[in-house]
């Protein structure tokens, strides 16, 4: 069983052999946080407490198994919101203790990466992975299941965070990524030449704060001058600026690492424009791009169970002293 409560999704899943999703119940708190324009940590923790038992029970019922059939419990123990993480960690520890089965502490971002191994069971390292979520943007080299190297990271905002902030500026609602993607379909991506932060020659790091300020200033100036704000073209031009940088740096990283496979992970990997552009550029370079279906891109417990399965094979078990680590590092 996998359990995920790091942010605003309460999720439990049953996965067989790290491959077959028997159930993947996701209770999203979006409705609760929407009116605040973002996740309110204290409210998130309370909602997790309210829902976790129901979500676990539903995951068991949908998988049509008994608690005694579970072989291990994998839980996200970081990074994420401290109070939110603690709910999942406490439930997982109680279950592991009561059922006398191993406990596995999973890094949330490793979970996002493993959504790809769940979606593509034949996938094998070495590969380059672009992790793009609400809180993180990193390029990684996975030599094998145990060896990971960070090739580049964001120096300021994460890609998803930039989507969310621009959506707020354009009053499109929360979470911003899907809203920007939707409205961008009606806009002209070449309408406004927003800046692309390539950083130093050959750098695999990212920076989105300059782009964010450029978009906010553009909207502000248009309003000051009493000009209409073309939300769709602003969204499309912003999205193109983010994706250009994500795609070019990922392809450069894959070329340097001499890998044939690129995978996408995290909430922003659900973006169709990113998927299509990355696939096009990779194909030109003789590489293939894989990504999970949208439901496995955003937060879910099946990906945590899958990552936990690979830790189980390596016998990387956690003790009952497992704690939430809000700033848990990726490597
Ligand atoms: O991975 P995730 O569910 O949670 C974190 O671990 O952060 O990612 C959520 C992020 C949010 O910033 C959301 O706006 C973004 O992923 N996102 C998208 C799309 N769907 C979700 N960004 C762009 N396009 C999308 N379709
Ligand atoms: Zn996530």
């Amino acid at each position: 069983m996998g359990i995920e409560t790091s942010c605003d999704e309460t999720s439990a899943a049953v996965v067989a052999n790290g491959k077959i999703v028997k159930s993947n119940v996701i209770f999203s708190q979006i409705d609760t946080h929407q009116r605040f324009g973002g996740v309110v940590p204290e409210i998130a923790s309370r909602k997790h407490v309210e829902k976790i038992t129901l979500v676990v029970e539903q995951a068991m019922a949908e998988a049509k198994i008994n608690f005694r059939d579970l072989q291990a419990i994998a839980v996200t123990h970081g990074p994420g919101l401290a109070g939110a993480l603690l709910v999942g960690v406490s439930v997982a520890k109680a279950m592991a203790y009561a059922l006398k089965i191993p406990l596995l502490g999973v890094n949330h971002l490793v979970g996002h990466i493993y959504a790809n191994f769940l979606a593509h069971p034949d996938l094998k390292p070495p590969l380059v992975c672009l992790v793009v979520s609400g809180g993180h943007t990193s390029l990684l080299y996975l030599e094998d299941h145990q060896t990971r190297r960070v090739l580049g990271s964001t120096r300021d905002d994460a890609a998803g965070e930039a989507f969310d902030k621009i959506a707020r500026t354009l009053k499109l609602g929360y979470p911003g990524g899907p809203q920007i993607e939707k409205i961008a379909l009606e806009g002209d991506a070449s309408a406004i030449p927003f800046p692309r932060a390539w950083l130093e020659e050959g750098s695999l790091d990212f920076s989105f704060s300059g782009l964010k300020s450029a978009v906010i200033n553009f909207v502000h100036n248009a309003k000051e001058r009493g000009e209409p704000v073309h939300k769709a073209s602003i969204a499309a031009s912003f999205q193109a600026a983010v994706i250009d940088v994500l795609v070019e740096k990922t392809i450069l990283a894959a070329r340097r690492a001499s890998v044939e496979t690129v995978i996408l992970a995290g909430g922003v990997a659900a973006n169709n424009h990113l998927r299509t552009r990355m696939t096009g550029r990779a194909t030109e370079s003789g590489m293939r791009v894989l990504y999970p279906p949208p439901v496995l891109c955003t937060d879910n417990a099946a990906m945590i169970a899958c990552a936990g399965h690979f830790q189980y094979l390596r016998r990387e078990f956690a003790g009952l002293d497992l704690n939430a680590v809000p700033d848990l590092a990726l490597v």
Side-chain angles (χ1 to χ4, degrees), residues 178-188 232-233 235-236 239 272-273:
Q179 312 288 347
I180 298 256
E181 176 170 15
K182 197 166 142 215
I183 195 174
L185 290 172
E186 293 150 30
D188 174 7
S233 288
Q239 179 176 257
N272 282 305
H273 194 58

Side-chain angles (χ1 to χ4, degrees), residues 37-322:
V39 179
V40 183
E42 182 55 28
I43 297 176
S45 320
R46 286 165 193 241
K47 272 275 161 205
H48 285 309
V49 171
E50 208 177 294
K51 295 289 175 192
I52 189 69
T53 314
L54 294 168
V55 167
V56 167
E57 280 171 356
Q58 197 181 327
M60 294 301 293
E62 286 183 17
K64 297 191 178 66
I65 59 165
N66 297 313
F67 280 101
R68 294 276 158 215
D69 299 327
L70 292 174
Q71 285 177 340
I73 309 270
V75 63
T76 304
H77 72 122
L81 304 168
L85 288 164
L86 274 174
V87 178
V89 168
S90 308
V91 168
K93 287 204 271 193
M95 287 179 68
Y97 179 70
L99 298 169
K100 300 186 176 60
I101 54 177
L103 176 69
L104 302 137
V106 174
N107 181 311
H108 180 75
L109 300 169
V110 174
H112 274 303
I113 297 168
Y114 275 79
N116 282 280
F117 289 91
L118 199 52
H120 311 285
D122 299 327
L123 178 62
K124 287 196 174 53
L127 51 85
V128 160
C129 178
L130 173 68
V131 183
V132 266
S133 71
H136 292 83
T137 298
S138 294
L139 270 167
L140 296 177
Y141 173 64
L142 266 77
E143 191 178 323
D144 50 43
H145 285 287
Q146 255 161 308
T147 325
R148 294 187 277 275
R149 198 152 39 89
V150 177
L151 305 173
S153 290
T154 183
R155 294 183 185 170
D156 38 61
D157 293 356
E161 197 178 347
F163 270 92
D164 294 338
K165 284 181 180 164
I166 296 309
R168 203 178 308 165
T169 304
L170 297 176
K171 300 196 168 48
L172 297 175
Y174 174 86
Q179 312 288 347
I180 298 256
E181 176 170 15
K182 197 166 142 215
I183 195 174
L185 290 172
E186 293 150 30
D188 174 7
S190 58
I192 310 143
F194 286 131
R196 273 77 170 151
W198 300 111
L199 306 176
E200 309 83 54
E201 174 88 37
S203 170
L204 294 175
D205 280 346
F206 300 94
S207 167
F208 296 110
S209 68
L211 169 61
K212 187 185 69 189
S213 304
V215 179
I216 293 171
N217 288 341
F218 183 90
V219 173
H220 179 76
N221 292 341
K223 280 186 186 157
E224 290 270 290
R225 289 197 294 263
E227 292 166 7
V229 175
H230 294 291
K231 287 190 186 182
S233 288
I234 296 171
S237 301
F238 158 76
Q239 179 176 257
V242 174
I243 289 174
D244 270 357
V245 177
L246 291 177
V247 169
E248 293 311 319
K249 293 203 178 226
T250 304
I251 298 298
L252 175 61
R255 278 215 199 101
R256 277 196 201 154
S258 305
V259 296
E260 288 166 5
T261 308
V262 167
I263 63 171
L264 310 180
V268 184
N271 185 285
N272 282 305
H273 194 58
L274 172 63
R275 291 166 177 242
T276 313
R277 278 287 314 281
M278 192 74 83
T279 304
R281 286 288 285 115
T283 310
E284 284 167 20
S285 307
M287 301 165 195
R288 64 170 184 163
V289 177
L290 297 173
Y291 38 77
V295 68
L296 294 179
C297 284
T298 45
D299 291 351
N300 69 90
M303 68 184 193
I304 303 302
C306 180
H309 166 81
F310 283 90
Q311 284 177 219
Y312 182 95
L313 296 180
R314 295 195 299 272
R315 308 189 65 75
E316 287 172 12
F317 303 126
L320 288 176
D321 57 351
L322 180 71

